[in-house]
Amino acid sequence: MKKKFFASLMAMVMVFGLASCGGSSDTTTTEGDAAEGGTGGKIGVSMPTQSLQRWNQDGSNMKAELEAAGYEVDLQYAGDNDIPTQVSQIENMIAGGCEVLVVAAIDGSSLTTALQGAAEKGIPVIAYDRLIMDSEAVSYYATFDNYKVGQMQGQYIVDALDLENAEGPFNIELVTGAPDDNNVNFFFGGAMDVLQPYIDSGKLVVPSGQTEKAQCATANWSTEEAQKRFENIISSVGYGPNGVKLDAVLCSNDSTSYGVQNALQAAGYTADNMPIITGQDCDKPNVKNIVSGLQSMSVFKDTRTLAEKVVGMVDAIMKGTEPEINDTETYDNGTGVIPSYLCDPVVVTVDNYKEMLIDSGYYTEADIA
């Protein structure tokens, strides 16, 4: 905790000592113009990609919240999950006078060297949604309860198949995300902690034999990669409406889930015979598929809530006070446990999507029509 307290003190000093420092943003990747007349200091926000809907929303929410709080914002997207681009952008933020960095890492282990400059200048770093590994520069972590996300997905499958009472066996396949994203350990781990006892007992069977995290991983959470892998599984096992019965697919997020659904539809599945399929993020195409019956559920992580909490963290750091945290035990990045704030996720299905997504103002009816 000493390094966290020191980072907060240094941030307070930098409000006075660095507020006048200028710095140019990479205009080819900066989203929008910096807030004019921001009196709170300059904040760097690094997002991994614009190719997935959720990161566009996270970035725009963060920028709007920080600007509303009076800060100048340097928001950068690292191309399409390009690690060297993200490293360069972060280095430019450090050199350009940013006083706090909010970083959603592409690869949680690739930023150690880049963030060393932040540590040397006493610039606090908030890891956003993905824990940055092996870096003492990380002061705080803000995310959703990602272990709980996995548990929700696993429990949904347990309940939907009535595994406590049904005789079985039931066929299931497993799909998770990028192996270099630390969150996969929590998503997949949480789900498997729920499902593994049923696999061990034989009530759940994985006909492909692919049960290890590395076997189930999807590079960059890519829809296309998930689709290709699942097409191979369908072919090798013989799944189909008139072939081997597939009862459920655990998918750790919506982009991989969408790829699985594409593969299954190409194999002849429809809303009438689609297996139980999980997801996460409530991306618009996936919500449409939930409504039409092609996807069973998605775990909703309201990025407006996360942005609000991170802005509160930034504000506390800049004022020299301790940010609100609610977890000091779970997230060890290899240099020690990182003080964290975990937001609560919720399950969205066809039964409650209007209440959770439309009535809350997250989407409009037209967004998912």
Side-chain angles (χ1 to χ4, degrees), residues 268-285:
Y269 287 87
T270 68
D272 293 330
N273 54 20
M274 191 69 77
I276 296 160
I277 303 178
T278 65
Q280 173 190 181
D281 293 330
C282 288
D283 289 347
K284 291 176 187 176

Side-chain angles (χ1 to χ4, degrees), residues 63-83:
K63 186 171 189 288
E65 290 274 357
L66 286 168
E67 288 180 345
Y71 295 102
E72 179 184 355
V73 182
D74 181 5
L75 170 62
Q76 305 273 352
Y77 291 93
D80 186 9
N81 286 300
D82 186 70
I83 293 172

Side-chain angles (χ1 to χ4, degrees), residues 135-204:
S135 173
E136 293 188 351
V138 180
S139 304
Y140 298 99
Y141 180 37
T143 188
F144 287 83
D145 189 334
N146 292 321
Y147 180 77
K148 188 175 181 179
V149 169
Q151 286 181 309
M152 287 175 162
Q153 293 168 336
Q155 191 60 48
Y156 185 90
I157 291 172
V158 169
D159 294 342
L161 293 177
D162 193 21
L163 295 184
E164 284 298 302
N165 301 303
E167 184 176 348
F170 298 96
N171 289 337
I172 187 172
E173 295 294 342
L174 312 171
V175 181
T176 193
D180 52 9
D181 183 348
N182 185 63
N183 282 348
V184 166
N185 296 320
F186 296 95
F187 298 145
F188 193 68
M192 293 307 290
D193 281 350
V194 174
L195 297 175
Q196 192 65 52
Y198 298 99
I199 295 174
D200 292 342
S201 71
K203 188 167 284 190
L204 283 178

